Structure formats: C-alpha cells, structure tokens
Amino acid sequence: MLRYTAMTLLRMVVTFFVIVTLVFFATRLSGNPIDFVIGQGITEEDRVLLTRYYGLDGSVWTQYLSYLRAFTDGQFGLSFLERRPVAEIVAERIWPSAQLLLTSIALTMVVSIPAGILAAIYRKGWVGSAVMTVAFLGYAVPNFVLATFMVLIFSYVLNWLPVVGNGTARHFVMPTLALSAGLIAALTRFTRNAMLDVLEQDYMRTARAKGLPERLVILKHGLRNASITVLSVLGLQVAALAAAGSVVVESIFAWPGIGDMLVRAALTRDYPVLQFGVLTVAIAVITINTAVDLAYAWADPRLRQTGRT
Amino acid sequence: MAVIETPRDPEWIMALRHLWADATPVQRFALILGLVLVLLAVATPLLAPFDPNGQSLLSRLRPPLGFERSKAEYLLGTDELGRDLLSRCLYGLRLTLTLAALGSVIGLCIGGTLGVLAGVAGGRTETAIMAAVDTQIAVPFTLIALFLLTILGNSIEVMVFVLSLDGWEKYARILRGETRRLMQMPFIEAARAAGATPLRIARHHLLPNLASPIVVQFTLSFSSIILLESTLSFLGLGVQPPTATLGAMVGAGRDYMPTQPWIVLAPAVLILIVTFAVQTLGDWLRDRADVRLRPR
C-alpha cells in the first residue's frame, strides 16, 4: 500500500509539473501577449515598459524560472484588465463555484443512485427502459441547449426564475439543473452497471437463500458492494465533467465562479488570469482524481497488488 | 451452356444488412436521420434559398412562416440583421459536420498511429506516448481548448486543430491495448516466423482486426467533437461571426430571446436533432462491439 501510494503521488507531481510547463511554453510561444492586449497605437517605449511591468522581458528561460518561482512565493502576476493579482481574482470566485458544484453533486447523488438501482433491478421492465431513456437524453442534450431552453421557458415565458446572478436560493435552480443533467445521466448509468455486476454475484443468491427480505438483500449486500465503484466514478468522472460543465453553465447564468471567469478571460485575452485559472482547475481535478484513486485502493485491496488497469 | 454465377455481396454490405436486421426502431430512425442530415449538409449550396451572410435590414427579425408579420420567402424567419435563418441553419449544419469530421479524422490519424506504434514498439516509446496520453486525460479538455483558442486566436484552422486534439488520446489508448493483445496472438507470431516484414504485419494482420474498435471510437468521438465545437462556438470562442455554426447561432441569438425566440430555437432544435442521431448511433455501435454489455 505504501508503495502504491508513493507511486500514485509521484505520478501526480510529475503530471503537475508537465502541465505547468506546457502552459508556460504554450503561452510564450504565441508571442508577446502585450501585443494582443494593447494592440496598435502604442510607442515602443511604453511597450518595453509594459513588457517589463508584467515580467515578460528576458530570455524564455529566465521567464520560466520566475514563473516557477511563483509557486513558492505566491506572486502569480497581475490581470491585464483589472490590474490586480490573479490569485486574488481566482480566490474570490472559488466559493460561488464550490456552492454550485456542491448543490449539483448533492442533487446528482439523490437522483442517480436510486434511479440506477431501480434500472438495474427492473432492467427488463418499463422502469428500467424509462430510466435509461431519461439518462440517455440527459447526456445527449448539450448543457448549453438545455440551459437556453430552461431560460426561455422558466424566465421569459413563465417569469418564475431569475436569469443571472447568484443572490437567492431561486438563482440556484436553473444553473444546478443545467449542471446536474449530464452528471445525473453519467452516474445513473454507472450505478446501474455496477449494480448489475453485483446482482449476478453468488453472495446475492446466498443472501436470498438464507431468507433475507429482498429490500435488505438489495440495500445491504447489493448497494454496499456497488457503492465503492459508484463513489470512485463519482470522484473521477464527476470532477472532469463538472469542470467542463461549470465553464458553460456559469457563463450562461453569469454565475460569479471560476468557469465564468475563465470564459471572460479567454474572450478578453487576459492571459495571466486565464493561465492561473486553468492551472488552478487542472490541479484541483488532478488532486481529486489522485485522492479518489488512493481511497479506492485503500477500500479494495485487490487493486493494490495488480496496479491500475 | 452458360454458367450462372450468383453474385455475392461484399462483406461490408452483409455486415450492414446484419446490423440493420437487429436494430431497434429508434436506432433505425437515428440512422435514417443521420443520413438525411449528411445529405442536407452536402447539398446545402443547392438547397439554401439565400446567402447565409446576406443582410437585408428591411426584413429583419421576421418570425417563421405562419406567425404574424412573417414573410413567405423566409421559412424559419430572419435574425437581427435580416439574414435568412433557414439558410444559416443549413450552412451552420454543414460547417459543424465538416469541422467534426475533420477533427475526428485528424485525431484518428494522430492517435491511431501513436497507439499502434506504442503497442508494437513497447519500451521507452510506449512509456513516452502513454505519459502524454495520461497527461491529457488528467486535464478536462474544455480547459485545454479554452487555453489554446486564446493563445492561437480563433480561425477555422485553429478550431480544427483544437478539435482534433480532443479524442486522439482515446484512439491511442484503445489501439495500444488492442495492438498489444493482437501482437501476442499466434497468427501474428506465425506471420513473423514466415518472414513477414513489420509493415506487412501491420497492414495485413493488425489493421483488419483493429477496424471494429476504430469505427466505434470514431462514432463516439465524432459526437463528442460536435458537442465541443458547438459549446465553444456558443461561448463565442469558436468560429467567429458572421460565419454560421449551430452553436454560434444559439450563442448570438440569446440577446433576442425574450422577444424573438425563434432566432435561438431554430439552431437549438437542429443541434438537438444532430446530437440525438449521432449519440444514438454511437451508443448502438459501442453496445454491439462491447462484449461485456451485449447480453444486457
């Protein structure tokens, strides 16, 4: 277990380093960002001044070193547009993003796990097909189309819900639904497949044979064994899906989170913000994935010996 | 006496016929829908009644046919600049499908080559390729796309490049696994013992056996690339105006949603139809190829 943990952590650190390096070189290879942001009509003198102000002078390697130094002293640079530290901008936006994410994950679990179990038990009946059809729709409908339709119906036609912002509980309804739809579809499928695997096991037959009521058989013997798989999927898939989803959903509903910030930074070419934002989210996702990986190995000893498949 | 030869259909037609025979009605419907969409996209220049970027300010914001103030020549109405929505939808569909096709084919070429190479070569080559694959899997692709589009600018070429990066790692991973499995099969060893060159082994013995996973992965990645392209265009980061793609039309039409909802509805409904067809086909092929799922 110690060896597995060490290898997993090592892999995580290497991935961090590769991503940090790639992000740096990709940004610098595209030329001096000042030229994109300021454009024409700037004297050469000012250009040099600005270049120095944002730490873009010197050779690529000195820039790379000072960029890496930011990870020890926390100076990640200034936003081109807002002229204040990017770390501050990102920090402000973490909590709204986390709020939206937590409500979405809560909703996802409440809906998907029962739905997945039902779909597994009644897989040949209409309940199973109904659940799977809804799950299919949830993942075939792009979240921005879903969000657009919801805004049209609930805000403009029925006048029930506000379109932008995160002021009240009512502001949460549409963004949460738009973000959850894809997650619910994914987790329902995984829960169903995990339950189907478990339902075929011998110990399920034993549990029934010894006379346990069906409800106990399913919940205690079935769900408990399936839950490890389900939770690991929740960690692995959901982290990536949610990161991609919040970019779109937050941007549509002007939710003041990281996703909205990333899209704004990309549209205005605010490199420092975009760079730091992308790194923050990437590192968060990788950390979550590693944590899930370790938790999974800890819960299921079979994995430690064979390594990851 | 003439010998009458019964013509035998080629193998792939037999395979298609077999596929059709055990499809559900929904899957058949999706297949026909997909073919119709492709035909529409191919024949767009013939079908579109107007220039997709031609503005006509006198007839701006006309609703679709059948509503008050509609004009007979604008079947789906017009947008804020008086451009015909039907023509824009058709051209948008055409561009969306073209971009997705280009992206998937390039992704397949890059990922497929690297995957087979990793599987055949093994050793350090394999480690390096798989490290690249793992790195890309670790980061949600939307982030990579946002980042690349910002630093490389938004042109159609950059868009194709970004789209082709989404998915290469899946081809690489799947084909490496399949190649490694096949390389251990007796028939490859027999071919090698008989003196076949590595190239001949790859062409005559590996590729035919890799065809099925490639087809399945291609369908799946095609649908995810369509989603990615429409999402990026919707956010204003993809193909730039006035060029129409379906996602960009939904994104740009949002400002008019309270009063002129048809500007958004026409492309949004078309996106739904496209994703429904593509996802259904993708699921169908995957379920057929994935032995583990078949009995369910």
Side-chain angles (χ1 to χ4, degrees):
Chain A
M1 184 65 203
L2 208 64
R3 198 184 127 74
Y4 184 80
T5 312
M7 287 304 289
T8 312
L9 289 178
L10 183 71
R11 199 165 48 218
M12 180 178 89
V13 172
V14 171
T15 314
F16 281 169
F17 186 73
V18 170
I19 289 168
V20 163
T21 307
L22 282 179
V23 163
F24 173 81
F25 282 101
T27 322
R28 290 308 178 273
L29 285 179
S30 66
N32 187 342
I34 296 288
D35 297 339
F36 288 112
V37 180
I38 313 288
Q40 282 111 32
I42 170 176
T43 64
E44 188 55 30
E45 207 177 317
D46 287 347
R47 188 174 168 274
V48 172
L49 211 67
L50 274 173
T51 309
R52 182 162 311 150
Y53 180 64
Y54 285 107
L56 298 168
D57 54 344
S59 78
V60 174
W61 296 106
T62 41
Q63 284 188 44
Y64 180 55
L65 282 181
S66 70
Y67 164 82
L68 284 185
R69 207 170 300 134
F71 287 90
T72 57
D73 62 15
Q75 302 290 318
F76 289 97
L78 302 178
S79 155
F80 282 160
L81 261 78
E82 298 184 42
R83 306 275 146 93
R84 58 196 184 106
V86 289
E88 201 179 300
I89 299 178
V90 171
E92 278 167 13
R93 287 178 171 260
I94 287 180
W95 177 232
S97 272
Q99 275 181 308
L100 181 58
L101 215 59
L102 289 177
T103 39
S104 300
I105 289 178
L107 180 68
T108 304
M109 290 180 72
V110 168
V111 175
S112 300
I113 293 176
I117 296 175
L118 284 179
I121 299 173
Y122 302 107
R123 93 185 118 123
K124 294 216 170 95
W126 66 269
V127 180
S129 353
V131 169
M132 291 318 282
T133 309
V134 174
F136 172 78
L137 290 179
Y139 110 138
V141 177
N143 50 11
F144 72 92
V145 176
L146 179 67
T148 308
F149 277 124
M150 281 200 292
V151 169
L152 197 60
I153 295 170
F154 296 114
S155 298
Y156 294 140
V157 177
L158 298 172
N159 256 323
W160 285 353
L161 296 167
V163 186
V164 294
N166 67 336
T168 65
R170 276 157 28 104
H171 284 94
F172 273 79
V173 178
M174 286 197 291
T176 306
L177 285 175
L179 189 55
S180 309
L183 305 182
I184 290 178
L187 195 66
T188 304
R189 288 181 159 210
F190 283 117
T191 309
R192 169 181 178 270
N193 288 349
M195 276 305 277
L196 280 179
D197 279 343
V198 169
L199 290 181
E200 282 165 8
Q201 301 293 324
D202 289 341
Y203 54 75
M204 295 298 282
R205 203 179 332 123
T206 313
R208 280 198 192 99
K210 73 181 184 189
L212 279 184
E214 186 66 19
R215 198 171 53 86
L216 268 181
V217 174
I218 300 279
L219 288 182
K220 204 168 165 193
H221 292 252
L223 184 61
R224 209 180 247 188
N225 281 296
S227 62
I228 297 182
T229 323
V230 171
L231 287 178
S232 78
V233 164
L234 190 74
L236 295 175
Q237 295 274 330
V238 165
L241 278 175
S246 14
V247 168
V248 181
V249 171
E250 286 184 4
S251 166
I252 293 174
F253 294 102
W255 192 268
I258 301 229
D260 178 59
M261 179 201 77
L262 287 175
V263 175
R264 274 169 208 266
L267 286 171
T268 53
R269 302 208 150 182
D270 195 341
Y271 289 80
V273 173
L274 184 73
Q275 184 175 300
F276 186 64
V278 165
L279 284 179
T280 312
V281 179
I283 288 176
V285 170
I286 297 170
T287 311
I288 293 175
N289 283 355
T290 309
V292 172
D293 221 20
L294 288 177
Y296 194 53
W298 179 75
D300 189 345
R302 279 167 301 180
L303 233 91
R304 276 176 247 158
Q305 271 133 36
T306 51
R308 225 169 34 163
T309 42
Chain B
M1 204 175 90
V3 179
I4 302 171
E5 273 186 46
T6 27
R8 249 177 70 79
D9 291 326
E11 216 169 297
W12 65 272
I13 293 194
M14 307 268 286
L16 281 185
R17 199 169 288 156
H18 190 68
L19 207 62
W20 179 260
D22 57 30
T24 65
V26 177
Q27 288 163 343
R28 289 181 188 175
F29 177 66
L31 185 63
I32 294 170
L33 202 62
L35 291 177
V36 170
L37 288 171
V38 171
L39 279 180
L40 282 179
V42 171
T44 291
L46 303 173
L47 294 172
F50 290 90
D51 173 7
N53 299 326
Q55 305 181 0
S56 149
L57 292 177
L58 283 178
S59 42
R60 61 197 291 268
L61 300 175
R62 297 280 179 179
L65 213 59
F67 290 86
E68 207 180 324
R69 278 190 71 248
S70 67
K71 265 179 141 178
E73 63 262 43
Y74 300 116
L75 207 59
L76 292 181
T78 59
D79 67 4
E80 72 277 13
L81 296 171
R83 298 175 293 197
D84 177 41
L85 279 175
L86 174 64
S87 307
R88 283 182 75 71
C89 277
L90 284 171
Y91 274 97
L93 173 72
R94 183 180 163 94
L95 187 56
T96 298
L97 290 184
T98 314
L99 285 174
L102 279 176
S104 332
V105 170
I106 298 175
L108 166 63
C109 292
I110 303 174
T113 315
L114 288 176
V116 173
L117 187 67
V120 173
R124 262 192 217 151
T125 322
E126 188 180 20
T127 316
I129 292 175
M130 293 326 283
V133 168
D134 280 343
T135 312
Q136 173 148 358
I137 292 176
V139 186
F141 191 75
T142 313
L143 292 181
I144 303 179
L146 270 183
F147 188 69
L148 286 179
L149 284 171
T150 312
I151 58 175
L152 299 176
N154 329 78
S155 63
I156 296 222
E157 294 82 12
V158 172
M159 196 65 189
V160 169
F161 168 68
V162 169
L163 294 178
S164 65
L165 276 187
D166 177 36
W168 75 269
E169 88 283 1
K170 296 186 199 84
Y171 290 114
R173 205 172 38 160
I174 289 170
L175 292 186
R176 165 188 163 260
E178 278 296 294
T179 308
R180 271 178 48 153
R181 193 178 62 82
L182 288 169
M183 289 301 279
Q184 286 162 2
M185 298 283 227
F187 70 91
I188 300 270
E189 212 181 320
R192 206 181 298 137
T197 60
L199 204 67
R200 191 189 159 80
I201 294 183
R203 281 223 351 237
H204 291 270
H205 300 284
L206 275 182
L207 268 188
N209 284 299
L210 292 176
S212 146
I214 288 178
V215 169
V216 173
Q217 188 49 44
F218 187 87
T219 328
L220 292 174
S221 104
F222 188 78
S223 69
S224 89
I225 287 181
I226 285 189
L227 272 185
L228 180 69
E229 187 274 327
S230 355
T231 303
L232 291 172
S233 299
F234 171 81
L235 292 173
L237 293 160
V239 178
Q240 293 299 296
T243 313
T245 75
L246 297 176
M249 290 173 69
V250 179
R254 270 188 299 166
D255 298 343
Y256 295 86
M257 221 153 51
T259 42
Q260 283 89 18
W262 63 86
I263 300 180
V264 158
L265 279 175
V269 169
L270 195 51
I271 291 180
L272 284 185
I273 296 174
V274 173
T275 47
F276 165 76
V278 178
Q279 297 269 24
T280 310
L281 294 178
D283 270 15
W284 178 17
L285 287 179
R286 185 188 48 199
D287 288 353
R288 279 187 56 88
D290 198 342
V291 183
R292 226 174 73 91
L293 294 173
R294 209 170 282 165
R296 288 168 189 167

